[in-house]
Amino acid sequence: MNEQNTEKPIIGITLGDYNGIGPEVILKSLENNQLSKICTPIIYGSMKVLNQYKQLIGLKDWSLHGIHKVEQANQKQTNVITCWHDHQVEIAPGSITEEAGQASFSCLKRAVDDLNAGKIHALVTGPINKDNIQNSNFKFPGHTEFLAEAFKVKDALMFMVSDELRVGVLTGHIPLGRVRSQITPDKLSNKIEQMIHSLKSDFGIKKPRLAILGLNPHAGENGLLGTEEIDVIKPVLTNFLEKGDLVFGPYPADGFFAARSYKNYDAVLAMYHDQGLIPFKAIAFNEGVNFTAGLPVVRTSPDHGTAYNIAGKNEADPGSLLKAIYLACDIAKFREIDQAISESALVSKPQQSESQHPAKSGNKQRFNNN
């Protein structure tokens, strides 16, 4: 980030597929600049598309602020950067079109470029259609994998977050038939380490408690229903416990959630996508957030998809997107504090060379989120 002080974090928000509910929940979340006290929002999308949706859902009296680059953002308004030539675009809520998919990629690419350049503090991504966004530059099953490659991270962590529950997944957007081959000691250890680090640096939890789910029904029933818990999972957990980390399991997934055992832990690691996301969405839908842990930047998103069936009907609930914006602000703040503490410790060492100092080796914009 540029070496300058700002009062609030700058939050980039991508439009997503403009024929889904993304534009509607974004507008409802930012209506009348209601979040301008905690952040400076910049929508990466299309002024024309957003104005069409404003008319459709009855937000005619509120004006958006069009800009060409982040530096022009007004801290008291909702800013919009138009990311593609939109003079002929007409929305078709509920329709899946190639044009909407490619427009969603244009928004994502522009926002990621600004995030990578340090012009915004965090990114909140609107829901995309994972099929129509595909092109020569986006050949990924979702945002998480695209961002991991964009920021040169080998394996990011999909982390679903709500006030009541945090769930990570060992294997994300892959076919169920490939899950078992992906459950290895190295991968499991890496995900647990990512989760512990994120809970400390992104959520301010000094000594996190983790619950690890088993792969098989009844966590294998002592090998009767599968041996992955015995052969892979338990040895890894033993290593973490011996190091002093509070990592427990493996637990049978059904009984764990039925008994509300997650209330005793700071986070839960599931073995595959649906094992973790089905209970998470049953418990926290409309207020849950998808956070990508393990990146050098902050990215969140709502926990729902494009919801074409209600697009354009003024029925979409903005709760999850609002939570995603709040969480992006909070994590940006935690990371700012974490870095300040690290820098303070480094400065206290007289032998520290200038080239090694984080403040010299990378630009980092500061802000006070009062």
Side-chain angles (χ1 to χ4, degrees):
M1 296 280 177
N2 298 324
E3 292 289 340
Q4 63 181 15
N5 293 322
T6 67
E7 294 182 355
K8 303 173 295 186
I10 302 170
I11 307 297
I13 305 168
T14 58
L15 190 65
D17 187 313
Y18 61 69
N19 288 325
I21 63 171
E24 181 179 331
V25 295
I26 290 170
L27 289 169
K28 286 179 175 179
S29 297
L30 303 176
E31 181 181 358
N32 295 323
N33 309 313
Q34 60 184 340
L35 296 187
S36 63
K37 291 183 178 180
I38 66 166
C39 68
T40 299
I42 299 177
I43 304 172
Y44 289 82
S46 159
M47 184 67 83
K48 184 172 183 179
V49 165
L50 289 165
N51 281 331
Q52 289 181 62
Y53 273 99
K54 279 177 57 189
Q55 292 286 328
L56 193 63
I57 63 176
L59 298 177
K60 303 175 185 178
D61 297 331
W62 166 48
S63 297
L64 300 167
H65 179 58
I67 58 176
H68 298 289
K69 55 185 180 179
V70 173
E71 292 80 3
Q72 298 171 331
N74 186 314
Q75 292 192 13
K76 295 182 179 180
Q77 293 183 285
T78 298
N79 305 276
V80 179
I81 294 177
T82 295
C83 299
W84 77 94
H85 298 297
D86 66 349
H87 57 281
Q88 292 183 334
V89 68
E90 293 293 337
I91 62 173
S95 300
I96 301 174
T97 67
E98 181 180 351
E99 292 78 11
Q102 296 317 300
S104 67
F105 175 74
S106 297
C107 300
L108 179 62
K109 179 65 168 58
R110 176 66 184 276
V112 168
D113 286 347
D114 283 350
L115 185 63
N116 197 25
K119 295 180 179 181
I120 57 179
H121 291 99
L123 175 63
V124 179
T125 56
I128 59 173
N129 180 309
K130 295 177 177 62
D131 182 29
N132 70 3
I133 195 176
Q134 299 294 321
N135 59 49
S136 59
N137 295 308
F138 191 103
K139 296 180 179 179
F140 303 91
H143 279 114
T144 303
E145 296 80 4
F146 172 77
L147 291 165
E149 179 164 300
F151 291 97
K152 298 178 173 56
V153 172
K154 184 177 180 180
D155 193 15
L157 171 69
M158 181 188 295
F159 207 176
M160 308 301 293
V161 177
S162 74
D163 293 339
E164 192 173 2
L165 172 65
R166 301 182 188 94
V167 174
V169 292
L170 178 64
T171 59
H173 295 123
I174 64 172
L176 189 58
R178 288 173 48 200
V179 167
R180 172 59 189 93
S181 66
Q182 296 291 310
I183 299 177
T184 65
D186 286 346
K187 189 176 181 71
L188 179 57
S189 296
N190 181 53
K191 292 294 186 183
I192 292 173
E193 288 171 355
Q194 284 184 326
M195 186 174 281
I196 291 172
H197 177 75
S198 179
L199 289 168
K200 289 179 178 180
S201 63
D202 299 330
F203 297 90
I205 301 171
K206 293 182 179 180
K207 193 70 172 177
R209 292 173 55 87
L210 270 63
I212 312 300
L213 302 182
L215 171 66
N216 298 295
H218 305 289
E221 199 75 78
N222 293 320
L224 180 65
L225 303 178
T227 62
E228 287 79 7
E229 288 78 11
I230 296 171
D231 296 340
V232 180
I233 301 175
K234 285 185 178 179
V236 170
L237 304 194
T238 298
N239 288 337
F240 276 93
L241 285 168
E242 288 175 349
K243 292 188 298 181
D245 295 308
L246 304 180
V247 181
F248 305 99
Y251 298 113
D254 56 350
F256 181 85
F257 287 107
R260 304 290 192 270
S261 298
Y262 56 85
K263 292 180 179 292
N264 299 320
Y265 300 91
D266 296 300
V268 181
L269 181 64
M271 292 297 104
Y272 56 93
H273 184 280
D274 283 11
Q275 185 189 52
L277 268 67
I278 288 175
F280 179 85
K281 291 189 176 183
I283 293 166
F285 197 66
N286 285 333
E287 63 178 31
V289 176
N290 180 0
F291 166 53
T292 306
L295 295 178
V297 294
V298 179
R299 177 262 173 165
T300 66
S301 74
D303 71 349
H304 57 71
T306 51
Y308 291 121
N309 59 311
I310 60 170
K313 298 180 180 179
N314 201 13
E315 297 177 4
D317 188 328
S320 183
L321 185 74
L322 271 168
K323 290 282 188 177
I325 296 171
Y326 293 144
L327 184 63
C329 293
D330 288 344
I331 292 175
K333 180 178 180 180
F334 276 124
R335 288 194 181 183
E336 173 71 12
I337 294 170
D338 192 56
Q339 188 198 2
I341 293 172
S342 298
E343 289 181 5
S344 177
L346 287 170
V347 168
S348 67
K349 297 179 180 180
Q351 71 272 22
Q352 178 74 40
S353 69
E354 187 172 280
S355 62
Q356 293 173 313
H357 198 288
K360 302 294 184 181
S361 61
N363 292 328
K364 188 73 175 180
Q365 188 176 21
R366 299 301 185 88
F367 64 90
N368 296 310
N369 191 13
N370 295 323

